[in-house]
Amino acid sequence: MDRLRLNQIMNILLMPYKERELINEDNDYLNNVRCAYYLASKAIGQSIVELERQEIEYKKGINKLEYFLKNHQKLRINSLDDTKQLINLFFPEEDIIRLFENYGEEKYKECINVWYIRNIFRISESLLTFRDGKVAIRTWVNKKDYEGNRDIFDYHDALNKVEIWNTLSRMVVPDLFVAAFYVISGLTDKEYLLNQAGNVSLADKELDVVLKKGIAETHMHFNAGIHYLILWEEVLNPYIWYNRIKFGSLEYQKPEEKWILHVIIYRIIMAEYSFYIKDEIDLCEYIAQKYGNISIEIYEVLHEFKEGKQIDKKRVEQIFLYVVERWKLDYGKYTENNDFLFESVYRNEIMYSSVAELFFQIQVLEKVRNNPTDVHSMHMFIQYLRVKNCYFESCIQSDTIKGVRNFQKYYSKATKRQSNDKKSYNRRIRAVFESQIQNINLHKMEIRICPPLFLDIEHFTVPDKRLKYDMKCEILLSIKDIFEEYLKCMRELLDKNGLAIKEIDKLRDQGIAGVPAIGIIFHFIKSDFLDNRLGNACWLQNVSGNQFYNKHILAYREKMIRSAMAIEELRSEIPFLNEYIVGIDSASEEFLSEPWVMAPVYQAIRNKKITKPVIKGTEGEFRRIQNIGFTYHVGEEFRHLLSGFRYVDEVIERFGYKAGDRIGHAVVLGVDIEHWMKNEVVVLPINEYLEDLIWLWGNIVYEKMHLPVSMEIIEGKIMDLAQEVYGDILGITPFLLYQAYNEKFKQYHYETFRKMKNNININREPGVGNHFCKYYNTETSTGIFWTKEKLVCTYFCPVFWQRFQKTILVPVNMQDAQLYQAIQQYLIRKIERRGIYVETNPTSNSVIGEIPGILCHHILKLNSEGLDKNQHNSTLVTINSDDPIVFNTNCENEIAYIYYALQHNNYNEESILRWIDKIRQFGMDSSFIRDEKKPSQQIQEIEKILKEIEAYVKHP
């Protein structure tokens, strides 16, 4: 189904559980309309005046609902009537009015929540099942649901349940439906939650057999590797909020955070009530028994939460402090190692290796299901879900806006910690490992972290030798924390399972937990700073020795080069480290920094002057040093197809790539050309398009790329754009532009800069005209003719940098489709011949890139060998998760999405399983972690590395 259409449908269905505006009960516009209709129906037979009044109220409700829907950013409605029909599909007017009548006039205003809870159960029963003891996706349609009604998604030809799950799990947090499925299945006893962490397995029985052979995660940003329930546990830590109130530092950074104190109070009280108290006692009576004199104030706070109308902030803070202090008296000190409910109400349940949030939701859902008249408790639970989902809406990316810039907003919020102390930082690291070891089949896991860069002036006032040592120490300390928390995680895992350290290999051998071999990839951040555009930094400063006192492109690149070289040197100085620092990467928004900026960083690290073949071990033995692997985020997003093609080609040609190196995403290689060309016009900087054409010209001339295009047309466009960028173009030719284009990929330009400096006099009056530089002496041998050296300098000049950014409109002509298809196929063939892997990330690619949907992923365009006799592309590809918290996924489920996409495209099962197994093995083979080490071996080596790090840092 079209992604936007599926989003419209799911947004309507899930609206009651996730919309921030609905927290205020006056803004539950759907309920208001149904209530107004109910009152109008009751007015029949009364006075005409009363009937007309109720009809006016009903129309007002309709207008407010329509206004909300029209201004709903993520809904993108096609028509109000279409949306109205969807609302009536999932919240049928007739059925809800009948429900109101059953509950009577005292409760009708809140009994819409009965329907909301009912839909939670219907969704869970439609989408979930048990497979080999695990909660798994149900891909078939139920004949009847638990009430004997039609499956809520019984439109199978139009709605694919795997596609629905992918969309749903990024709109709301899906543990709710896992909890509801346990309740609807009658499995609320605690032992049924053994090792259930709120995950849903997407693999069916046949796929699971393949995955059990072992998978590798080769593209995951470490900070985003956390499971969302662990993040929620951190948000609801009562001690963080307790201390903020006590020390006067309570500030709400997100709109939904103003309800966090209410949520924690509700969670504490409701957890105890639903766990300990029999159904005969209602919530009000329980609060009165538990809290005595202050019970009225507590219930008023809960009532305030239920209505979504915050009145007295100070009173809420006082009640919060009282409830937490009472909780401390009842249960003792909180260790902060677990969800606070595991330290209190559920302390006997911690042995089941589940999550407290799952216990909590199961208990509450069972309570309200057994007490269908308790609409107040239902209402408060729905409010709880709204706050929870509003919080995660800021962390988990939906399909609304594409591009890495939008993704970064979600990434930064998802990875932000509740406190910035070292303890919190280390706890977050450990939480990532705790999240990932839930993936039983994960055998290799590469984690990407940023290397330290010294960007401040002070670090560059010390001698180079000391600077290098300081940089190396910072690098070592950054991985020291990761290694230490990994060891703590392993010890906690052993303790939970009653195993000794020497028995750690049993964890993976017996399928208790995934204990993958780990490797670190340092990824440099693509950045753009104002120093590239402002007049206080340019190539002249570089040649004058002031290059480190700013963030100009030359200075920033030099700092990355130094860091990269320090990383490579450390790998040959500390035993075993080369097997754990395994690669480098560059990530972030492609538009901020083109590949030529990063090329020298990659060129510097594979340098025979610093790369050593062997290292002497701690016991005198010699061990070979494995080469560092290269990967690079490229072709993920692009303004123009030519730009995406160019970036991919520049990386594999200019970075020193070898067989076995990888590129990340490369969506441009699989994008449907004709679909993309419906854009009709592209908006992009003038120099980007100029460089696209220069690259194309160079490939035709020097690489003998045979393309259906006229060279005269390309050259004519190049010269027109060059004149617009450079003004006068005396001496400029496509050949000269291509020479300068090639030159900028080099690591150093000192000779070019020194040569040009001789013709610059900054003490003279600025000249008239715009040739090259206002301080340039035109009375030189080259005069006003452009040269390669002058063109190279413009790449590092703030004046020309501004000119390069001038926006132009480039028309997209359908007759160029054949040209772009030929270029795309040329690059695919080149990557196949070179043995370079492409890291795909299905959910990420469909959300960020030019992919129509999860079931239309481009991976088949890259490798269809063994599936499609009409296509013969055989690019080496892998499947990964990218950012688990942002896309609410993991590596195993991403493979499953592609598996179901193949089924959706009607391939036979045998071919699908064979192809999936091949891609799974590509992942294992492509990993820069060479050996699939046993956990015991890995722990021994990490402990040795930590000792070496400690000695290195102490003794310069």
Side-chain angles (χ1 to χ4, degrees):
M1 174 177 284
D2 176 75
R3 180 174 50 199
L4 292 179
R5 182 57 172 163
L6 182 58
N7 268 270
Q8 290 168 352
I9 294 170
M10 296 307 294
N11 264 307
I12 293 297
L13 174 59
L14 301 173
M15 181 171 60
Y17 319 111
K18 70 187 189 71
E19 295 303 328
R20 180 180 290 111
E21 197 168 344
L22 270 59
I23 292 174
N24 184 325
E25 70 172 358
D26 292 342
N27 296 336
D28 189 344
Y29 303 111
L30 173 59
N31 187 37
N32 295 344
V33 168
R34 294 295 183 253
C35 286
Y37 184 84
Y38 169 72
L39 292 176
S41 68
K42 299 291 286 184
I44 296 175
Q46 299 180 24
S47 68
I48 296 176
V49 174
E50 178 61 20
L51 183 59
E52 288 180 348
R53 190 179 73 82
Q54 293 300 339
E55 185 175 355
I56 290 170
E57 290 301 314
Y58 176 72
K59 289 181 178 179
K60 284 182 180 178
I62 290 288
N63 290 336
K64 288 181 179 180
L65 176 61
E66 290 180 349
Y67 182 82
F68 170 74
L69 295 171
K70 284 190 293 185
N71 290 278
H72 193 296
Q73 181 186 2
K74 295 184 178 181
L75 192 54
R76 297 184 180 181
I77 63 174
N78 291 322
S79 75
L80 286 172
D81 180 71
D82 177 78
T83 308
K84 177 184 175 182
Q85 296 305 318
L86 286 174
I87 289 173
N88 214 43
L89 175 66
F90 297 122
F91 311 97
E93 187 172 72
E94 183 180 352
D95 292 346
I96 291 177
I97 297 308
R98 191 179 303 119
L99 185 70
F100 286 3
E101 290 171 348
N102 291 338
Y103 277 80
E105 294 189 16
E106 288 187 7
K107 294 183 177 181
Y108 79 91
K109 286 186 178 180
E110 288 188 88
C111 69
I112 188 77
N113 295 288
V114 177
W115 195 270
Y116 294 161
I117 295 290
R118 178 180 181 269
N119 273 358
I120 290 172
F121 288 126
R122 292 189 68 203
I123 292 168
S124 67
E125 192 178 34
S126 174
L127 293 179
L128 300 178
T129 187
F130 285 109
R131 185 177 298 118
D132 296 333
K134 297 183 293 186
V135 179
I137 190 76
R138 185 195 299 266
T139 56
W140 61 94
V141 173
N142 292 321
K143 292 182 179 179
K144 299 288 183 181
D145 68 11
Y146 73 103
E147 292 181 332
N149 296 315
R150 184 180 186 180
D151 187 318
I152 196 169
F153 296 120
D154 186 7
Y155 308 93
H156 201 267
D157 291 339
L159 297 176
N160 181 287
K161 288 193 176 182
V162 174
E163 201 170 19
I164 289 170
W165 183 259
N166 180 266
T167 301
L168 175 147
S169 61
R170 286 178 291 108
M171 287 184 173
V172 295
V173 282
D175 60 289
L176 164 67
F177 302 104
V178 174
F181 184 65
Y182 271 92
V183 173
I184 206 72
S185 303
L187 301 173
T188 57
D189 291 343
K190 51 195 174 186
E191 58 266 23
Y192 293 122
L193 291 177
L194 180 67
N195 294 323
Q196 174 53 257
N199 298 317
V200 172
S201 172
L202 298 188
D204 64 13
K205 183 178 178 180
E206 288 76 16
L207 177 59
D208 199 44
V209 171
V210 174
L211 297 179
K212 282 179 178 177
K213 298 178 184 180
I215 60 175
E217 172 66 86
T218 62
H219 189 126
M220 185 189 78
H221 300 281
F222 187 65
N223 284 341
I226 192 171
H227 193 278
Y228 66 87
L229 283 180
I230 296 178
L231 193 61
W232 186 233
E233 164 195 318
E234 184 179 290
V235 171
L236 295 188
N237 182 337
Y239 275 98
I240 291 177
W241 302 96
Y242 182 90
N243 291 330
R244 287 178 182 175
I245 295 171
K246 281 289 189 181
F247 296 108
S249 59
L250 180 62
E251 292 182 1
Y252 300 121
Q253 299 175 351
K254 301 177 181 178
E256 57 273 14
E257 282 188 353
K258 73 176 185 177
W259 294 108
I260 287 293
L261 299 185
H262 294 78
V263 164
I264 296 174
I265 293 170
Y266 165 78
R267 199 168 184 253
I268 289 174
I269 293 173
M270 201 65 191
E272 289 187 317
Y273 171 64
S274 59
F275 191 75
Y276 293 127
I277 306 303
K278 301 292 184 182
D279 291 339
E280 295 80 38
I281 301 175
D282 66 19
L283 182 60
C284 294
E285 189 176 350
Y286 164 72
I287 292 173
Q289 291 177 2
K290 170 85 176 182
Y291 294 100
N293 294 335
I294 202 170
S295 59
I296 295 175
E297 287 87 342
I298 290 175
Y299 197 77
E300 285 175 350
V301 168
L302 292 178
H303 184 73
E304 183 179 287
F305 173 54
K306 181 170 69 74
E307 291 190 337
K309 298 173 183 178
Q310 198 171 59
I311 300 169
D312 189 344
K313 176 183 173 184
K314 286 296 179 184
R315 185 187 63 168
V316 175
E317 291 176 7
Q318 290 168 2
I319 297 299
F320 175 83
L321 293 175
Y322 177 86
V323 171
V324 172
E325 285 166 357
R326 174 63 187 271
W327 176 78
K328 287 161 63 178
L329 285 173
D330 290 344
Y331 298 104
K333 189 177 179 181
Y334 173 46
T335 64
E336 297 189 50
N337 291 326
N338 298 294
D339 188 304
F340 73 91
L341 292 181
F342 269 148
E343 301 288 327
S344 54
V345 183
Y346 307 141
R347 56 188 168 190
N348 294 326
E349 278 64 39
I350 196 169
M351 61 181 288
Y352 295 104
S353 299
S354 185
V355 287
E357 179 68 3
L358 205 53
F359 280 103
F360 173 72
Q361 291 182 114
I362 287 174
Q363 293 288 336
V364 176
L365 283 169
E366 185 183 31
K367 197 82 170 177
V368 299
R369 188 168 185 241
N370 292 337
N371 296 275
T373 59
D374 188 3
V375 291
H376 301 309
S377 292
M378 293 184 193
H379 194 168
M380 279 191 283
F381 183 62
I382 294 296
Q383 288 287 68
Y384 174 80
L385 296 177
R386 285 169 180 156
V387 174
K388 181 180 177 182
N389 285 316
C390 285
Y391 180 84
F392 282 102
E393 185 183 41
S394 64
C395 304
I396 298 174
Q397 186 167 355
S398 64
D399 293 330
T400 310
I401 302 174
K402 290 183 173 296
V404 176
R405 174 67 62 87
N406 186 51
F407 154 78
Q408 287 174 335
K409 177 185 71 173
Y410 292 94
Y411 179 86
S412 62
K413 290 180 179 178
T415 57
K416 186 176 181 180
R417 304 188 306 279
Q418 287 295 312
S419 58
N420 294 317
D421 59 348
K422 181 70 181 300
K423 187 177 181 180
S424 174
Y425 171 70
N426 289 342
R427 174 75 185 101
R428 176 61 68 87
I429 293 174
R430 191 157 73 255
V432 174
F433 287 122
E434 290 170 355
S435 300
Q436 294 305 313
I437 62 176
Q438 296 171 12
N439 304 318
I440 304 295
N441 300 320
L442 188 59
H443 286 197
K444 293 182 178 181
M445 181 175 71
E446 296 176 4
I447 51 181
R448 304 191 184 200
I449 62 173
C450 295
L453 293 179
F454 294 155
L455 298 178
D456 52 306
I457 295 174
E458 287 75 14
H459 277 105
F460 292 93
T461 59
V462 298
D464 277 359
K465 188 174 182 181
R466 177 69 193 190
L467 174 64
K468 181 182 287 189
Y469 171 75
D470 289 345
M471 185 173 287
K472 288 182 177 180
C473 286
E474 289 293 323
I475 292 168
L476 291 174
L477 290 173
S478 70
I479 62 174
K480 177 175 177 285
D481 290 332
I482 290 174
F483 285 153
E484 287 177 342
E485 294 307 317
Y486 174 80
L487 294 180
K488 288 179 184 177
C489 180
M490 292 299 103
R491 293 188 186 105
E492 286 180 6
L493 193 59
L494 288 168
D495 289 343
K496 279 185 179 180
N497 291 279
L499 298 174
I501 188 72
K502 62 183 179 182
E503 299 177 291
I504 192 167
D505 292 341
K506 290 183 179 179
L507 291 173
R508 190 168 75 186
D509 295 343
Q510 297 179 5
I512 299 171
V515 188
I518 62 170
I520 293 171
I521 293 180
F522 280 111
H523 69 109
F524 296 90
I525 301 300
K526 303 169 187 174
S527 300
D528 181 25
F529 300 105
L530 286 179
D531 282 339
N532 293 324
R533 306 179 188 186
L534 302 177
N536 65 335
C538 73
W539 60 271
L540 272 174
Q541 282 186 297
N542 184 273
V543 77
S544 302
N546 298 322
Q547 65 267 37
F548 296 122
Y549 298 156
N550 55 63
K551 294 177 182 177
H552 184 267
I553 190 171
L554 287 165
Y556 186 66
R557 184 164 70 179
E558 181 63 26
K559 290 157 194 172
M560 289 191 289
I561 289 171
R562 292 193 179 198
S563 181
M565 293 174 70
I567 290 168
E568 180 63 4
E569 288 177 7
L570 282 170
R571 295 176 73 252
S572 58
E573 291 173 356
I574 294 181
F576 298 109
L577 192 59
N578 71 91
E579 297 173 38
Y580 290 89
I581 298 179
V582 295
I584 65 166
D585 176 31
S586 183
S588 194
E589 193 176 350
E590 289 192 63
F591 303 143
L592 294 181
S593 184
E594 292 191 3
W596 66 270
V597 176
M598 298 300 303
V601 180
Y602 281 68
Q603 294 163 7
I605 202 169
R606 276 189 183 163
N607 187 326
K608 61 184 179 183
K609 293 181 181 179
I610 60 172
T611 300
K612 304 294 189 294
V614 295
I615 184 173
K616 192 173 184 180
T618 54
E619 298 176 4
E621 80 284 7
F622 285 93
R623 299 175 64 88
R624 293 192 181 277
I625 298 174
Q626 70 177 49
N627 285 350
I628 196 165
F630 281 1
T631 183
Y632 188 90
H633 285 58
V634 66
E636 179 180 14
E637 62 173 339
F638 39 88
R639 298 182 179 105
H640 196 288
L641 277 175
L642 283 179
S643 303
F645 294 147
R646 171 165 65 91
Y647 295 160
V648 169
D649 194 48
E650 287 172 346
V651 170
I652 61 180
E653 289 289 352
R654 313 281 181 162
F655 281 46
Y657 261 50
K658 309 293 183 187
D661 288 329
R662 311 192 308 244
I663 54 176
H665 300 291
V667 174
V668 71
L669 296 179
V671 70
D672 184 320
I673 302 293
E674 293 185 0
H675 177 78
W676 179 86
M677 295 193 77
K678 292 178 182 177
N679 288 309
E680 295 185 354
V681 67
V682 177
V683 184
L684 74 167
I686 187 170
N687 202 62
E688 180 180 322
Y689 189 50
L690 174 58
E691 299 251 294
D692 292 343
L693 296 176
I694 292 169
W695 165 80
L696 185 60
W697 182 90
N699 270 278
I700 293 172
V701 172
Y702 295 103
E703 301 299 323
K704 308 302 180 185
M705 186 191 293
H706 300 291
L707 298 173
V709 63
S710 164
M711 282 292 284
E712 289 79 6
I713 292 176
I714 294 176
E715 289 178 350
K717 288 181 178 179
I718 288 174
M719 295 307 294
D720 287 343
L721 291 169
Q723 185 164 22
E724 198 166 345
V725 171
Y726 295 105
D728 64 278
I729 54 173
L730 288 173
I732 288 182
T733 64
F735 173 74
L736 189 68
L737 290 167
Y738 188 68
Q739 278 189 311
Y741 163 80
N742 283 330
E743 195 74 17
K744 68 179 180 178
F745 287 93
K746 294 183 178 178
Q747 184 171 345
Y748 299 112
H749 304 280
Y750 296 144
E751 291 304 317
T752 296
F753 294 161
R754 288 193 186 99
K755 179 178 178 181
M756 296 311 303
K757 185 185 176 185
N758 293 331
N759 298 322
I760 297 291
N761 182 2
I762 60 174
N763 296 318
R764 68 190 288 269
E765 286 293 321
V768 179
N770 60 353
H771 179 73
F772 181 45
C773 177
K774 61 184 178 181
Y775 298 111
Y776 174 68
N777 181 10
T778 57
E779 297 177 0
T780 63
S781 57
T782 59
I784 57 174
F785 282 86
W786 283 96
T787 64
K788 179 184 70 174
E789 291 78 11
K790 290 179 184 178
L791 290 172
V792 169
C793 288
T794 63
Y795 289 114
F796 309 100
C797 169
V799 175
F800 278 97
W801 194 275
Q802 284 285 61
R803 292 191 191 178
F804 293 162
Q805 304 309 310
K806 179 184 175 181
T807 301
I808 61 171
L809 293 174
V810 177
V812 174
N813 299 313
M814 287 303 295
Q815 57 264 37
D816 290 333
Q818 188 181 357
L819 167 65
Y820 298 145
Q821 287 166 349
I823 298 172
Q824 187 182 59
Q825 196 61 33
Y826 169 83
L827 290 173
I828 290 173
R829 290 285 177 262
K830 179 184 284 191
I831 289 171
E832 288 175 356
R833 291 194 305 271
R834 301 277 180 93
I836 293 167
Y837 288 86
V838 176
E839 305 159 0
T840 70
N841 306 272
T843 300
S844 172
N845 298 154
S846 66
V847 173
I848 294 177
E850 293 283 344
I851 302 298
I854 194 72
L855 298 182
C856 307
H857 194 268
H858 65 282
I859 192 170
L860 288 182
K861 194 165 184 178
L862 300 178
N863 189 309
S864 56
E865 197 72 36
L867 282 173
D868 194 333
K869 294 180 180 180
N870 298 320
Q871 294 186 24
H872 303 285
N873 290 341
S874 54
T875 308
L876 300 171
V877 292
T878 67
I879 300 174
N880 308 277
S881 67
D882 199 2
D883 298 276
I885 180 63
V886 178
F887 302 112
N888 214 348
T889 190
N890 59 47
C891 184
E892 187 172 306
N893 281 356
E894 290 297 291
I895 295 173
Y897 284 133
I898 297 303
Y899 170 76
Y900 289 115
L902 295 172
Q903 289 185 341
H904 180 73
N905 287 305
N906 297 317
Y907 293 105
N908 69 72
E909 186 71 2
E910 182 181 356
S911 298
I912 291 173
L913 291 170
R914 193 184 306 116
W915 187 88
I916 287 287
D917 190 35
K918 175 183 70 174
I919 303 305
R920 178 203 63 78
Q921 191 60 46
F922 283 169
M924 294 291 288
D925 296 342
S926 72
S927 175
F928 299 149
I929 304 168
R930 298 289 175 82
D931 300 320
E932 193 180 331
K933 296 177 181 178
K934 288 190 173 183
S936 55
Q937 178 187 352
Q938 191 160 245
I939 286 177
Q940 290 174 3
E941 292 176 354
I942 288 175
E943 287 175 340
K944 290 178 181 179
I945 290 172
L946 286 171
K947 288 179 181 178
E948 291 290 324
I949 289 175
E950 187 175 352
Y952 191 99
V953 172
K954 283 184 177 178
H955 304 289

